Amino acid sequence: MLKSMTGFGRSEKTDGKRKIIVEIKSVNHRYLDTNIKIPKKLNFFEAGVRVCLKNYIQRGKIDIYIVYEDLTENTICLKYNEGLVREYIAYAKEIAQQFDIKNDVTVKEIMGYPEVLTMEEKTIDEDSLWLLLEQAIIEALENLIETRIQEGENLKRDLCQKLDNMLSHVLYVEERSPEILLEYHEKLENKVKELLQGSDLEEDRIITEVTLYADKICVDEEVVRLKSHIENMRAALLEGNGVGRKLDFLAQEMNREANTILSKSNDLAITNRAIDLKTEIEKVREQIQNIE
């Protein structure tokens, strides 16, 4: 199925404790170029995100935005260092005895001592968090692919219409070429008659001149190759599945054949058709840049 490289996908997942929002945008690019904006807390999942992405997308500039929100109230817990407290108390007793002073240390004072109380963030369950994040990413990617397929179908219809236009120009050149030779033969014959003023014509000489002219303007090979490229491109469009590079190559070959026809042309009608053909090819090349 043909896919465009332009699309957008979004997903929002929650398990009651956490919420994850994933948004993915893509535009055309020669290769796969990924930019991931992920919260610092989820940085260790970035490699997994890239693996998921490569399973769905082959080409394009991809921007992924991930938002993480913890819905629980108790995300941070308070802990005290029991061993350190015992040392503080022991030293307080020792100082009181050594200097014969009152040991008036209170619990409140001990709680204010350095490193006695610490605030720690609760340990994250990485497996369940990754499962939630993976679900959000896959759903966003599927939504992205759906929009890319819809755009791809529009591109396919437009490109097939342009291929029909191109084929009509090629067929005209194919039909017109023999007529040019007949017209040249007639023109040459009339010119010779005019010069010889009724003398006998050298038909062999005229045939030789026409043959040389035919070799010079012959575009049979170019026409055959163009028809073949058009049919191959049509088949590739119907096939889909990552054919962007192949289509781009075929368009380059088409342009080369059209240039050759234009350089050989000595007929205004064929010249105009060749120019129209090149115009259609250029439009096709522009559209192909958006295909994965």
Side-chain angles (χ1 to χ4, degrees):
M1 190 170 291
L2 196 70
K3 298 174 187 174
S4 167
M5 282 191 282
T6 303
F8 176 80
R10 186 181 189 277
S11 176
E12 182 176 322
K13 293 291 182 181
T14 180
D15 60 1
K17 299 178 182 179
R18 296 156 297 196
K19 181 170 72 173
I20 292 178
I21 300 173
V22 177
E23 292 186 350
I24 307 177
K25 297 192 303 181
S26 70
V27 294
N28 60 311
H29 194 274
R30 190 174 182 182
Y31 305 106
L32 179 60
D33 180 20
T34 306
N35 177 39
I36 301 176
K37 293 186 177 180
I38 188 170
K40 186 176 180 180
K41 185 178 292 186
L42 306 182
N43 272 345
F44 48 89
F45 291 137
E46 183 171 337
V49 173
R50 293 185 182 276
V51 170
C52 281
L53 185 67
K54 289 181 180 179
N55 291 333
Y56 284 83
I57 298 175
Q58 299 179 32
R59 282 208 306 162
K61 186 179 186 304
I62 313 298
D63 290 311
I64 303 179
Y65 304 91
I66 299 174
V67 178
Y68 172 76
E69 182 179 351
D70 197 318
L71 302 177
T72 61
E73 296 180 358
N74 299 322
T75 58
I76 297 177
C77 61
L78 190 65
K79 290 188 177 182
Y80 86 98
N81 191 327
E82 182 179 351
L84 188 60
V85 171
R86 291 184 184 279
E87 289 190 29
Y88 276 131
I89 293 174
Y91 278 116
K93 288 180 179 180
E94 184 179 337
I95 292 171
Q97 291 174 0
Q98 183 175 353
F99 295 98
D100 193 22
I101 59 177
K102 181 181 179 182
N103 184 359
D104 58 354
V105 176
T106 65
V107 174
K108 183 177 181 181
E109 289 176 338
I110 293 176
M111 291 175 63
Y113 290 168
E115 303 299 327
V116 170
L117 294 179
T118 57
M119 298 179 68
E120 294 183 2
E121 193 170 2
K122 288 185 177 180
T123 304
I124 298 176
D125 183 353
E126 293 185 9
D127 291 338
S128 63
L129 182 56
W130 167 246
L131 181 62
L132 188 67
L133 176 59
E134 185 181 35
Q135 291 173 352
I137 291 172
I138 290 176
E139 184 174 281
L141 282 169
E142 289 175 346
N143 292 335
L144 172 73
I145 295 302
E146 184 177 345
T147 61
R148 295 180 96 182
I149 289 174
Q150 292 175 356
E151 179 65 20
E153 288 300 306
N154 294 333
L155 287 174
K156 181 168 70 175
R157 285 192 294 270
D158 181 67
L159 287 170
C160 285
Q161 180 61 52
K162 286 180 170 56
L163 289 177
D164 290 339
N165 295 339
M166 289 166 57
L167 184 59
S168 68
H169 295 317
V170 174
L171 292 177
Y172 177 84
V173 172
E174 185 178 35
E175 294 173 2
R176 173 64 181 158
S177 295
E179 297 176 1
I180 297 175
L181 293 179
L182 293 176
E183 291 174 3
Y184 181 73
H185 185 284
E186 183 179 350
K187 185 187 298 184
L188 186 60
E189 188 175 5
N190 291 335
K191 187 67 175 177
V192 171
K193 285 181 178 179
E194 181 181 341
L195 293 174
L196 295 179
Q197 297 180 352
S199 300
D200 293 335
L201 295 176
E202 296 183 12
E203 186 63 27
D204 291 342
R205 181 65 181 272
I206 293 177
I207 293 175
T208 300
E209 290 294 330
V210 171
T211 301
L212 291 174
Y213 181 75
D215 289 338
K216 181 180 178 180
I217 68 168
C218 181
V219 292
D220 291 350
E221 292 183 8
E222 289 78 9
V223 167
V224 169
R225 283 195 288 265
L226 273 169
K227 290 165 71 175
S228 176
H229 293 330
I230 290 172
E231 291 309 310
N232 286 337
M233 182 173 286
R234 194 187 304 277
L237 288 171
L238 296 176
E239 174 191 345
N241 297 324
V243 294
R245 290 190 179 93
K246 179 179 180 180
L247 295 175
D248 191 39
F249 171 76
L250 288 172
Q252 292 179 36
E253 293 300 305
M254 288 177 179
N255 191 58
R256 183 179 304 171
E257 303 301 339
N259 282 333
T260 304
I261 291 175
L262 195 57
S263 66
K264 288 183 175 181
S265 175
N266 196 24
D267 178 73
L268 181 60
I270 287 185
T271 297
N272 290 335
R273 286 292 184 139
I275 292 173
D276 292 340
L277 178 60
K278 282 179 58 64
T279 301
E280 288 293 333
I281 293 172
E282 188 58 35
K283 291 178 182 177
V284 167
R285 292 185 69 179
E286 289 177 3
Q287 290 284 53
I288 284 172
Q289 304 309 311
N290 295 316
I291 295 177
E292 185 178 36

